[in-house]
């Protein structure tokens, strides 16, 4: 579990740093990551649950610093990233 959690945090860090000029490459990486997760038995309906868990963890960790605007940005970013992964899952 801890290894996957660490990988998830690293992936999010990398993805956030790629937003903007590297968006096409990021999209390709997320599509491939989605296809890879299919082999692990991950289902599309699991992503919203993970999104809620991430948002909840950020609330707990950042407390008052986790403003509505920051939450909205995280929700949108997670939805886009997980959407690419789900598309990658269905393409394989």
């Amino acid at each position: 579990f801890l290894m996957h959690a660490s990988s998830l945090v690293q992936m999010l860090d990398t993805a956030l740093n790629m937003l903007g000029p590297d968006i096409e490459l990021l999209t390709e990486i997320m599509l491939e990551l989605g296809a890879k997760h299919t082999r692990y038995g991950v289902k599309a309906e699991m992503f919203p649950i993970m999104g809620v868990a991430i948002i909840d963890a950020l609330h707990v960790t950042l407390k008052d610093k986790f403003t509505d605007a920051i939450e909205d940005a995280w929700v949108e970013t997670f939805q886009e990233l997980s959407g690419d992964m789900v598309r990658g899952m269905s393409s394989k």
Side-chain angles (χ1 to χ4, degrees), residues 1 8 46-61 78:
F1 171 78
L8 175 64
M46 295 174 175
F47 285 92
I49 297 165
M50 181 60 76
V52 170
I54 290 170
I55 297 302
D56 286 348
L58 289 168
H59 269 290
V60 168
T61 303
F78 182 81

Side-chain angles (χ1 to χ4, degrees), residues 1-16:
F1 171 78
L2 291 177
M3 194 159 97
H4 185 263
S6 177
S7 295
L8 175 64
V9 170
Q10 288 175 342
M11 184 279 302
L12 286 171
D13 181 58
T14 299
L16 292 174

Side-chain angles (χ1 to χ4, degrees), residues 27 30-31 34-35 79-92:
T27 299
M30 297 310 291
L31 291 169
Q79 287 174 342
E80 292 297 322
L81 294 173
S82 63
D84 286 344
M85 287 184 70
V86 169
R87 281 194 304 282
M89 292 169 73
S90 62
S91 69
K92 297 294 175 189

Side-chain angles (χ1 to χ4, degrees), residues 20-49:
D22 294 324
I23 194 69
E24 291 84 12
L25 177 59
L26 175 58
T27 299
E28 186 61 34
I29 290 168
M30 297 310 291
L31 291 169
E32 291 173 10
L33 191 59
K36 182 178 178 182
H37 276 68
T38 301
R39 295 190 299 265
Y40 302 138
V42 174
K43 306 283 186 219
E45 55 270 14
M46 295 174 175
F47 285 92
I49 297 165

Side-chain angles (χ1 to χ4, degrees), residues 16 48 51-60 62-80:
L16 292 174
V52 170
I54 290 170
I55 297 302
D56 286 348
L58 289 168
H59 269 290
V60 168
L62 298 175
K63 299 180 181 18
D64 293 340
K65 294 178 184 172
F66 196 65
T67 64
D68 290 342
I70 291 172
E71 180 176 355
D72 291 344
W74 269 99
V75 168
E76 181 178 350
T77 301
F78 182 81
Q79 287 174 342
E80 292 297 322

